[in-house]
Amino acid sequence: MKGLLTRLKALAGSGAAPAAPAAPATSTASPAAEQGEGVLVNAYCTRADVPALGFPHTLHARRDLSDPELAAHLSGFVGYVLSRGNGEMSRNRYHAMRHIQRVRQHLILSIDESQLDAFSEWAERANAIVFLPDGGIRDPNGRVLLSAAGEEPDREAAVPYPAEAWQRKARTEALLASRGMPVPQHLPPLVSEPELRPRTPQELAGRAFALLAVSARAESVASGEPLPLADLFARLPSAQANLSPDEQAFIADEAPGESAVAQFGWRFECLFVLEWALGLVDALPFPGAICDVPLATRLMLDAGDVDGVMRVAKVRTDSELLDALDLHYRLHWLVRQARLKEEAAPAGVDAGVVLERHRALNWLVRFEDHDWDDVDTPT
């Protein structure tokens, strides 16, 4: 913490420091910190279970995602990150942005410089990055991730990740290496258990029916015998209410283009992932071939509607879902690297299956909090 201590001493001694991001209107204070104003600190924590602030401080505000203003604040903070310096997408900038998108709690507090070591230990456990009055963003140990004016960051600065994320990354890397598919260690960890906000089982079931509807429609159009919409929705009564805007447009198009038919035809793979997540199928095989389409279709038809799925669903654990996401993220990186080099995808990997599974899993874990049509799969 020596770097942070030195910087904060300078800030405490100067009367003019850039303002921190706007705080919410409500605030509370710690009885142990009524003396002195200290240094203003914004802590952005990705963990839902933020540890208690076991050191003297003044807590000005604390909010989580139940506060409707936090999402807009975080979006603005991402914009701030992207605007620093020359605006080029550096490694620190990218990882800081991803951290902010996973924030579960935002705390604004004042602390005395004598409590900096205690604060640093807390920030590490809370998986927090820190915004200081100088406009800079630091890791839990006070090392500069991004400066306000664009100066070079600390070479040792690192966006924090929970231990579970690092452990999962290591397991996936070992698995892929054992298959002769090594991935570079610089690829980051992903969202982990303490940060996760998974979709509800009801959301998964509704989305699964919508995916079956558009997949079946695409398959029928491709075969030259389009399914009448009345028949489609009669067989899938839960589908229509769960269609996304893009899916509604595709379903309503009497003569969709070839690319749209191909795109929506691939949604069987997304459907299969959600069926696995709901426990309707026993395993999610390594993505070497397309899914069992007749089985995926029959499972939904047998369930009938969302209530029918809920009666038989046995939702996977968070760890299982996150393991699948980590694997498909790293496989997707390999697929894209092969494409950039104009090479074939790694042996035993179907590129289309990997893409669709990555899409479904990113939606499932609320990646960037996007709705279905806007889900991205960056690697």
Side-chain angles (χ1 to χ4, degrees), residues 22 32 48 115 142 179 208 286 315 323 329 336:
Q115 299 302 317
R179 286 177 167 265
F286 197 80
V315 180
D323 284 349
Y329 163 77
R336 284 180 167 153

Side-chain angles (χ1 to χ4, degrees), residues 85-113:
N86 58 16
E88 292 183 2
M89 185 54 77
S90 65
R91 181 179 184 276
N92 280 5
R93 194 187 306 274
Y94 177 82
H95 291 298
M97 177 182 70
R98 292 291 180 226
H99 180 102
I100 294 165
Q101 290 168 339
R102 297 197 309 277
V103 164
R104 300 287 298 271
Q105 296 202 43
H106 172 209
L107 285 74
I108 305 175
L109 61 155
S110 295
I111 54 176
D112 186 81
E113 64 183 40

Side-chain angles (χ1 to χ4, degrees), residues 41-45 103 105-109 119 122 128-131:
V41 174
N42 279 248
Y44 292 88
C45 315
V103 164
Q105 296 202 43
H106 172 209
L107 285 74
I108 305 175
L109 61 155
F119 171 77
W122 173 87
I129 60 173
V130 183
F131 183 92

Side-chain angles (χ1 to χ4, degrees), residues 133-368:
D134 66 348
I137 300 171
R138 298 186 180 237
D139 72 8
N141 292 304
R143 297 172 296 212
V144 176
L145 286 163
L146 292 169
S147 71
E151 295 94 348
E152 287 297 313
D154 191 316
R155 289 178 178 270
E156 296 182 356
V159 171
Y161 291 91
E164 296 91 334
W166 288 110
Q167 293 161 3
R168 176 168 292 108
K169 167 179 152 68
R171 291 197 302 270
T172 303
E173 290 171 345
L175 171 63
L176 292 175
S178 73
R179 286 177 167 265
M181 303 175 188
V183 292
Q185 292 190 347
H186 69 71
L187 293 179
L190 302 181
V191 61
S192 62
E193 287 86 344
E195 307 166 299
L196 184 62
R197 295 183 298 122
R199 305 278 177 177
T200 66
Q202 289 80 7
E203 287 179 284
L204 268 65
R207 179 98 299 272
F209 278 109
L211 289 167
L212 177 55
V214 296
S215 301
R217 169 71 172 170
E219 187 177 60
S220 70
V221 171
S223 71
E225 298 180 358
L227 281 170
L229 297 188
D231 293 350
L232 181 65
F233 292 132
R235 294 293 303 277
L236 301 171
S238 293
Q240 193 165 11
N242 289 286
L243 293 172
S244 71
D246 285 356
E247 290 169 340
Q248 291 173 359
F250 173 73
I251 288 282
D253 191 342
E254 295 183 0
E258 186 176 329
S259 63
V261 171
Q263 172 190 344
F264 285 100
W266 271 104
R267 296 297 189 257
F268 276 117
E269 298 299 332
C270 297
L271 166 63
F272 193 76
V273 169
L274 298 189
E275 290 176 336
W276 169 79
L278 287 162
L280 305 183
V281 293
D282 293 334
L284 189 63
F286 197 80
I290 62 174
C291 69
D292 186 338
V293 171
L295 172 63
T297 302
R298 186 170 67 252
L299 288 169
M300 303 310 295
L301 292 176
D302 287 349
D305 57 17
V306 168
D307 289 339
V309 170
M310 290 298 95
R311 285 192 290 271
V312 297
K314 297 179 180 179
V315 180
R316 302 282 169 184
T317 65
D318 290 350
S319 294
E320 289 176 290
L321 301 177
L322 293 170
D323 284 349
L325 172 62
D326 203 81
L327 173 64
H328 288 84
Y329 163 77
R330 297 181 204 286
L331 280 173
H332 205 178
W333 185 92
L334 288 173
V335 166
R336 284 180 167 153
Q337 287 300 301
R339 183 175 299 137
L340 287 172
K341 297 176 182 178
E342 299 183 345
E343 299 173 352
V349 175
D350 187 303
V353 174
V354 170
L355 167 60
E356 296 301 323
R357 288 189 182 182
H358 191 186
R359 185 197 313 277
L361 290 162
N362 268 0
W363 175 80
L364 198 155
V365 302
R366 301 181 190 271
F367 178 71
E368 296 183 335

Side-chain angles (χ1 to χ4, degrees), residues 33 36-41 55-60 108-112:
E37 294 184 358
V39 178
L40 186 66
V41 174
F55 52 87
H57 65 280
T58 300
L59 182 61
H60 303 292
I108 305 175
L109 61 155
S110 295
I111 54 176
D112 186 81

